[in-house]
Structure formats: structure tokens, C-alpha cells
């Protein structure tokens, strides 16, 4: 079976993808510098898959270490997760984002090319659509990054598109994630944000478990069903399976693609809060607060292209996303420890 290199392998989405790849029969080599993840993820993966994960600690911007890695392992394709991902942080530290996200992808592609490995799946984001003119969002919707984080995702996509155009041997898959939530059904791995969570569901989870007194709902005057923001929440295990489907396509079919990975369903903040309260049996107190700068009213995918190209679609509903998130949060109230 092909060997897949996962960069940023101990992060939230990558660790779930690692399990999906192993259960689909792929060999996996993981690398991470632990700049935003815990080495304990490796112990949990070992427990879940029954074998010791193959892993090396390294920073993908370190080309010497990357060349040495490729010299030691036969690598058939790369799934490149390693990146910074906080929008607010990116506006405060733009150079760190360009260096790590754009520089990291450049380093990975340079080393791949030098070693004749030309298949890559790239973690992009629905953030590349900015404030979309119409919904649901198709892949040909206009692109408009509104912050440095979004710019790095757009630049990554552009880099891969140009690479594919220059050399048909390159096969690239850009996956535009909508809002990943939930956790593995075992409750052994999940999202473990450092500090105060920026995103909705991890925040709600910490309120439900008693780490925070209430959720601030950013805006109740959006033009949506109940005035709160609407997003396309997708179970992280569905997202992980989307990577397996993307890799299968790259291994079978020449060419490059860019697809949305979402459910096609939009849910409001209050719908998420209510679903989480039902799943957890806990109260989730809310306080209404002003809109968050840079937010948009609504964002959800047209998932048809992924169904057609990858034969993939999301299976889990919001109730399941909340139930799995709650299992992870209640079994690991302080995250990986
Ligand atoms: C955010 C990022 C986006 C990134 C995505 C990754 C911003 C502006 N956008 O998207 O670039 O790709 O995360 O998952 O940061 N909300 C609250 N209270 C909270 C937190 C969130 O009401 O404490 C609301 C937001 O206003 C929004 C919804 O919940 O309506 C979802 O927010 P969030 O989880 O941060 O995701 P995005 O804003 O879609």
C-alpha cells in the first residue's frame, strides 16, 4: 500500500485523518513540531490503532530535515496540514503566518519535487470565499481573503495550481474545509485548543463542562433564521474520510482539483447551542454580544463537486457532532493530559 506523509500530523484534523488512512490500509508517516499540539496524541493513536504510529518530530520549514526524511522513507503522497490557523493571531503576526504557512508549503513542495514525489493534498479553507455573494457556495464562487490567514490559504492554492499547470506530473488536491467539529467516537482524540477557544463548538464544549460561565453570541441581528451566524459544521471524521477519498483520486487519476468539504447544511449559533445542550444534558448559558469584526452572516457549501469527483459525502448530523464533541470534552475536560 502507498505510504502517505502527514505534516502537522498530531493536530486536530490530521490525527483523525491518520486513523482513517490506517483503517483504509494506507501506511502513514507523521511529522509535527508540536508547536500547537501534544505528543500525547501519539499515545492515543497507538491505543486506538493497536500499533505504534510511525512519527518524526520536525518542522516542515527545515529543508535539511525534510530532505533527510525523504531519504529515509519512500513517500508516495503528502497530506499537508502543518499550518497556523487563528485569524486574529494572523492579523497580529502576519509574517509568522506567511513564513509558516506559505514558506512551509513551499519547502514541502521543493523537497517533494527533488525526490520525485508529486502528489499532494492541501488543507485549504472556506475562508478563501470571504463574504460570499450567493449561497450555497460553489467552488467557482469569487475568492476574497480578508485576513493574512486567508491570504496564506489562497497563496497555497495558487502555488499548487501553478505547479500543476507547469508540470502535468504534479497532482494536487485542494480541500476547502467548512467548519470542522466533533471528535472520534472513542472520545480519545479531539480538538484541544490552547488558551481561549476562538471557534464556536470548542467554546460551547468548555461552557458545558463548566470551564467557562457562558458563551458570548457574536451578534443577534444577522439576516439569518434567528439573527445569529450560520455555518456549515462538518464532523471531523467525515472530513478525515474526505482526505482518504482525495488521496484515492490522486493515486488513480491525473490532474488537479479543488473541492469544498462541507455538508451543504447551515446551522445558526443558537441551533448549535441547543443541539449541544441536548447532547450533553448540560445547560449552555448564553449572553448576546456585538458582532465579531470580520464575521459574515452565513456560509455553507455546495458539496456536489466532492460527491462527483471523490465519491464522498458527509454522513454525520449536528446531533452526532455534538454527542462526539461532548464525549471527548467530558472524558478529557482539560484536553490531552
Ligand atoms: C473561523 C474563522 C475562519 C476559519 C474557521 C476555522 C474568523 C473570523 N473566521 O470561521 O477563517 O477558517 O474559523 O474553523 O475567525 N461565535 C460566537 N461565539 C463564539 C465563537 C463563535 O457567537 O465564542 C459565532 C461566530 O460569530 C460565527 C459562528 O459562531 O457566527 C462560528 O464561528 P467560528 O467557529 O469562529 O467559525 P467561523 O467564523 O466560520
Amino acid at each position: 500500500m502507498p505510504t502517505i506523509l502527514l505534516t502537522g500530523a498530531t493536530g486536530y484534523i490530521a490525527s483523525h485523518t491518520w486513523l482513517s488512512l490506517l483503517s483504509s490500509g494506507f501506511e502513514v508517516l507523521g511529522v509535527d513540531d508540536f508547536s500547537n499540539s501534544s505528543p500525547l496524541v501519539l499515545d492515543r493513536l497507538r491505543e486506538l490503532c493497536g500499533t505504534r504510529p510511525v512519527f518524526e518530530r520536525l518542522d516542515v520549514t527545515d529543508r535539511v530535515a525534510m530532505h533527510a526524511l525523504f531519504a529515509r522513507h519512500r513517500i508516495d503522497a503528502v497530506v499537508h496540514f502543518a499550518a497556523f490557523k487563528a485569524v486574529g493571531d494572523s492579523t497580529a503576526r502576519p509574517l509568522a503566518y506567511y513564513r509558516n504557512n506559505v514558506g512551509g508549503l513551499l519547502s514541502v513542495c521543493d523537497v517533494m519535487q527533488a525526490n520525485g514525489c508529486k502528489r499532494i493534498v492541501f488543507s485549504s479553507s472556506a475562508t478563501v470565499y470571504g463574504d460570499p455573494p450567493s449561497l450555497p457556495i460553489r467552488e467557482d464562487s469569487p475568492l476574497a481573503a480578508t485576513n493574512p490567514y486567508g491570504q496564506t490559504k489562497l497563496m497555497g492554492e495558487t502555488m499548487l495550481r501553478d505547479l500543476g499547470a507547469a508540470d502535468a506530473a504534479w497532482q494536487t488536491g485542494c480541500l476547502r474545509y467548512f467548519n470542522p467539529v466533533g471528535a472520534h467516537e472513542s472520545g480519545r482524540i479531539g480538538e484541544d485548543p490552547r488558551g481561549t477557544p476562538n471557534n464556536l463548538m470548542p467554546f460551547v464544549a468548555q461552557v458545558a463542562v463548566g470551564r467557562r460561565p457562558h458563551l458570548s453570541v457574536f451578534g443577534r441581528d444577522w439576516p439569518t433564521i434567528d439573527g445569529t451566524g450560520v455555518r456549515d459544521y462538518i464532523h471531523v471524521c467525515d472530513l478525515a474520510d474526505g482526505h482518504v477519498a482525495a488521496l484515492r483520486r490522486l493515486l488513480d487519476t491525473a490532474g488537479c482539483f479543488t473541492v469544498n468539504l462541507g455538508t451543504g447544511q447551515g446551522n445558526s449559533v443558537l441551533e448549535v447551542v441547543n443541539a449541544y445542550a441536548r447532547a450533553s444534558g448540560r445547560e449552555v448559558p448564553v449572553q448576546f454580544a456585538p458582532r465579531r469584526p470580520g464575521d459574515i452572516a452565513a456560509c455553507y457549501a455546495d458539496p456536489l463537486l466532492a460527491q462527483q469527483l471523490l465519491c464522498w459525502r458527509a454522513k454525520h448530523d449536528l446531533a452526532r457532532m455534538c454527542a462526539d464533541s461532548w464525549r471527548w470534552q467530558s472524558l478529557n475536560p482539560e484536553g490531552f493530559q
Side-chain angles (χ1 to χ4, degrees), residues 87 125 127 147 149 178-180 198-201 203 215-218 229-231 233 269 292-296:
V87 172
S125 166
T127 198
N147 53 68
Y149 163 73
F178 280 69
N179 290 60
N198 294 309
N199 298 120
L200 178 64
M201 198 172 287
F203 202 107
L215 170 78
S216 295
V217 177
F218 300 141
V230 164
R231 298 291 185 274
Y233 297 95
V269 174
R292 182 171 66 179
D295 263 358
I296 56 176

Side-chain angles (χ1 to χ4, degrees), residues 41-164:
V41 173
L42 297 170
D43 298 337
R44 302 286 177 94
L45 288 174
R46 179 179 191 169
E47 200 185 285
L48 290 170
C49 61
T51 54
R52 192 188 163 83
V54 183
F55 176 83
E56 298 197 21
R57 180 177 188 155
L58 64 77
D59 173 348
V60 295
T61 64
D62 179 348
R63 286 156 190 261
V64 174
M66 286 293 288
H67 275 291
L69 184 82
F70 271 78
R72 284 194 300 280
H73 300 271
R74 189 202 53 146
I75 295 168
D76 298 293
V78 176
V79 186
H80 180 57
F81 290 103
F84 294 151
K85 61 176 183 181
V87 172
D89 186 35
S90 81
T91 59
R93 301 190 306 134
L95 291 181
Y97 276 69
Y98 289 113
R99 190 183 315 113
N100 195 44
N101 295 9
V102 182
L105 178 63
L106 184 55
S107 160
V108 167
C109 290
D110 269 340
V111 175
M112 288 174 70
Q113 176 141 283
N115 286 277
C117 173
K118 296 185 175 178
R119 291 188 190 106
I120 184 166
V121 173
F122 174 62
S123 301
S124 188
S125 166
T127 198
V128 298
Y129 295 118
D131 194 351
S134 65
L135 294 166
I137 308 176
R138 285 167 31 139
E139 287 79 356
D140 57 5
S141 195
L143 302 178
T146 52
N147 53 68
Y149 163 73
Q151 290 291 357
T152 67
K153 292 298 171 186
L154 264 185
M155 287 179 183
E157 287 196 7
T158 305
M159 195 190 298
L160 295 182
R161 191 192 60 216
D162 291 346
L163 205 46

Side-chain angles (χ1 to χ4, degrees), residues 219-267:
R220 64 189 309 184
D221 56 352
W222 293 104
T224 61
I225 175 176
D226 57 17
T228 66
V230 164
R231 298 291 185 274
D232 183 337
Y233 297 95
I234 175 169
H235 196 295
V236 66
C237 293
D238 281 331
L239 199 58
D241 289 344
H243 291 76
V244 176
L247 273 170
R248 288 209 170 105
R249 173 155 179 119
L250 289 186
L251 292 164
D252 286 354
T253 313
C256 301
F257 60 84
T258 299
V259 295
N260 290 336
L261 293 185
T263 65
Q265 165 92 37
N267 285 111

Side-chain angles (χ1 to χ4, degrees), residues 1-2 4 16-28 240-245 247-248 251:
M1 279 302 278
I4 311 300
H16 290 80
T17 301
W18 198 331
L19 285 180
S20 286
L21 284 167
L22 290 176
S23 62
S24 305
F26 289 93
E27 304 280 335
V28 179
D241 289 344
H243 291 76
V244 176
L247 273 170
R248 288 209 170 105
L251 292 164

